[in-house]
Amino acid sequence: MSDTLARPVPGGAAPPRANAVVAVLAFAGIVVSLMQTLVIPIVPNLPKYLDAPASDTAWAVTATLLAAAVATPVAGRIGDMYGKRRMLLVSVALLVTGSVVCALSDTLVPMIVGRVLQGMAGAVIPLGISIMRDVLPPERLAGATALMSASLGVGGALGLPSAALIADRFDWHVLFWTSAALGAVAAVLVVVLVPESKVRTGGRFDLLGALGLAAGLVTLLLGISKGGDWGWTSGTVLGLFAFAVVDLVAWGFFELRTAEPLVDLRTTARRQVLFTNLASVALGFSMFAMSLVMPQVLQLPEVTGYGLGKSMLYTGLVLAPQGLVMMAMAPLSAGISKSKGPKVTLMIGALIVATGYGLNILLMSEVWHLILASCVIGAGVGFAYGAMPALIMGAVPPSETAAANSLNALMRSIGTSFASAVAGVVLAQMTITLGTTALPSEDGFKVVMAIGGGAALLAFALCLFLPRHRAAAPAAGSAAAGHAAEPAEVSGATK
């Protein structure tokens, strides 16, 4: 590892190469989050494109969700063991491969295979954050990890209008060729500019633990994502949930008795890690609730009395500023975390998100109303997502950084899955009839937004249980890193 990268230079200025590392890793994060919104503009047309029923083409979205849920914690653990940069490159390579498979697809099966491969790149952001901890100077870490976390929202916000524009002007396959090209660029930049971390655990990979976790997550998320279609009280969905509970409980007992577990549950049970992850579930739920409401309000016909009758492209452009606001909040989030601690930053973010939902309930009749509310919510998410890695890394040793950050990313994903399920139930029950078509009612949207705001307040309440100290995560290159095995809630300086 280069000394010029690992050490701060005199006067507190950042080494020039550190800026390149941050930029490249943030770009890789944006590329991966772009992939997640790539198919949204073409979902209604997939049955025609792939000559398959809509119930089957929905797997183009579901398969990516399931693959990301399984791959993220596994890739994080492998990264800790054998090299985070190496695993990040594998993840980007899977993204490129999946994009090419989708770009060459005209039928359902290869499309689903490609989307599974794309979903397996979901660990790029937590791996990138972990690399930053290992190779950046300590004074750059807070701002860099906040920016990397914000890349998730930035890519999602910018991806929708970009994908809508491409789908509107070109053949739909161009969407995936674009994704492949961006992934290839990210891979080259990582190879050239990002050093490999020397912080590794080694050891033996917990294959049984990985299989057990995969089985539990797939059945849990499959039941959540398909419950609305298959029926929440159907034997299939109840069976999936029952299997998930039994499997995950058995998996937990197995992990506690394994010398080298996939997930160190004792570390995960530390107060700072546990309540950060619980808050992440709530905030993931809250953030995604907005993504489910605003596009529908913008696109529903004006004759409903509350729809704004806009196109998909227009909708994407309206929501794009949210991503830019998230990125703009990254340095402010890092500054508050340095001065007051990431706990305070996370709490501020949760309150801002709740405020945004309150505005959205009161103001949703004009386009500028939705721009304002989405930007306020985006600012809150930027604060919160920037604080989460600092809290996680302040409580785990450097050798477990990638696994711990990947588990935190998984918690956010579980929150978004629950948001989709809850919003689906609410909007299916609260409808109006337009001609012969049932559409979600205005009150239904307001209920979903109220639930989203409530989830943000729940995250705030969970933050109250976090330890009261400034949990600064040392860089692996610093002298302190070698002694970071103690949890920060024990060894950190108490206010």
Side-chain angles (χ1 to χ4, degrees):
M1 182 168 61
S2 170
D3 289 341
T4 62
L5 184 64
R7 298 174 184 167
V9 298
R17 194 177 174 191
N19 295 326
V21 170
V22 174
V24 169
L25 291 176
F27 174 72
I30 290 172
V31 170
V32 170
S33 58
L34 279 169
M35 173 273 300
Q36 296 176 348
T37 58
L38 198 66
V39 298
I40 291 177
I42 63 171
V43 163
N45 296 320
L46 281 177
K48 178 180 68 176
Y49 294 154
L50 302 176
D51 191 25
S55 59
D56 291 342
T57 58
W59 283 97
V61 176
T62 305
T64 307
L65 166 71
L66 299 179
V70 172
T72 298
V74 171
R77 176 59 179 155
I78 295 176
D80 280 335
M81 294 174 66
Y82 304 116
K84 303 176 183 75
R85 174 179 174 270
R86 179 179 299 172
M87 201 60 218
L88 187 144
L89 285 170
V90 169
S91 298
V92 175
L94 290 169
L95 170 66
V96 173
T97 303
S99 299
V100 171
V101 171
C102 290
L104 296 173
S105 299
D106 286 307
T107 56
L108 182 63
V109 172
M111 171 62 78
I112 292 176
V113 170
R115 290 292 289 167
V116 167
L117 292 172
Q118 286 186 315
M120 293 175 72
V124 163
I125 291 177
L127 285 168
I129 291 171
S130 303
I131 291 171
M132 288 175 174
R133 182 188 194 180
D134 294 347
V135 304
L136 291 181
E139 71 274 8
R140 287 297 309 273
L141 186 59
T145 55
L147 181 64
M148 188 72 188
S149 294
S151 68
L152 177 65
V154 173
L158 299 182
L160 187 59
S162 303
L165 180 63
I166 292 172
D168 187 52
R169 303 292 178 87
F170 304 98
D171 180 80
W172 65 275
H173 294 90
V174 175
L175 288 169
F176 297 101
W177 287 120
T178 303
S179 174
L182 291 172
V185 171
V188 171
L189 292 174
V190 169
V191 169
V192 173
L193 296 173
V194 178
E196 178 62 273
S197 163
K198 294 183 179 179
V199 181
R200 303 183 187 180
T201 62
R204 179 180 300 175
F205 180 69
D206 179 14
L207 179 59
L208 285 178
L211 293 174
L213 180 61
L217 289 175
V218 167
T219 51
L220 174 64
L221 294 175
L222 187 59
I224 294 171
S225 61
K226 291 296 185 181
D229 296 331
W230 295 345
W232 291 104
T233 59
S234 68
T236 301
V237 172
L238 293 177
L240 287 170
F241 286 146
F243 179 88
V245 170
V246 173
D247 176 86
L248 291 174
V249 169
W251 172 81
F253 279 110
F254 176 80
E255 291 294 281
L256 288 172
R257 288 161 174 75
T258 301
E260 297 176 306
L262 178 74
V263 178
D264 188 341
L265 294 180
R266 292 180 176 85
T267 298
T268 304
R270 290 173 184 166
R271 184 154 58 109
Q272 184 158 313
V273 179
L274 175 62
F275 282 98
T276 300
N277 283 334
L278 292 175
S280 297
V281 175
L283 280 167
F285 184 108
S286 186
M287 182 191 75
F288 200 65
M290 176 201 64
S291 303
L292 295 167
V293 169
M294 291 191 182
Q296 293 192 64
V297 173
L298 282 162
Q299 292 179 80
L300 282 173
E302 294 183 29
V303 70
T304 60
Y306 52 89
L308 300 178
K310 305 302 181 182
S311 66
M312 174 64 78
L313 176 58
Y314 191 102
T315 297
L317 293 172
V318 167
L319 298 178
Q322 175 206 5
L324 301 178
V325 169
M326 286 182 64
M327 180 170 283
M329 290 299 106
L332 185 56
S333 169
I336 295 176
S337 292
K338 285 181 179 179
S339 62
K340 302 295 184 181
K343 171 184 175 178
V344 173
T345 310
L346 183 54
M347 295 172 77
I348 291 172
L351 288 179
I352 294 175
V353 171
T355 301
Y357 277 108
L359 284 173
N360 205 183
I361 292 172
L362 297 173
L363 302 172
M364 58 180 292
S365 59
E366 302 287 345
V367 170
W368 73 267
H369 292 169
L370 299 185
I371 294 175
L372 173 64
S374 68
C375 286
V376 172
I377 294 172
V381 172
F383 268 89
Y385 277 22
M388 288 175 190
L391 285 163
I392 293 295
M393 291 189 294
V396 301
S399 59
E400 297 179 20
T401 301
N405 277 317
S406 296
L407 183 63
N408 182 251
L410 173 63
M411 293 300 104
R412 294 199 297 268
S413 296
I414 290 174
T416 62
S417 299
F418 276 111
S420 179
V422 171
V425 170
V426 171
L427 297 179
Q429 296 297 318
M430 303 181 70
T431 62
I432 63 169
T433 302
L434 186 64
T436 58
T437 304
L439 298 174
S441 68
E442 182 178 14
D443 287 341
F445 288 127
K446 289 185 176 182
V447 168
V448 173
M449 288 186 286
I451 295 172
L457 293 176
L458 173 61
F460 176 86
L462 290 167
C463 292
L464 297 174
F465 295 93
L466 291 170
R468 296 182 59 192
H469 68 272
R470 299 174 188 176
S478 69
H483 305 285
E486 290 297 319
E489 61 189 82
V490 174
S491 60
T494 302
K495 287 183 179 180

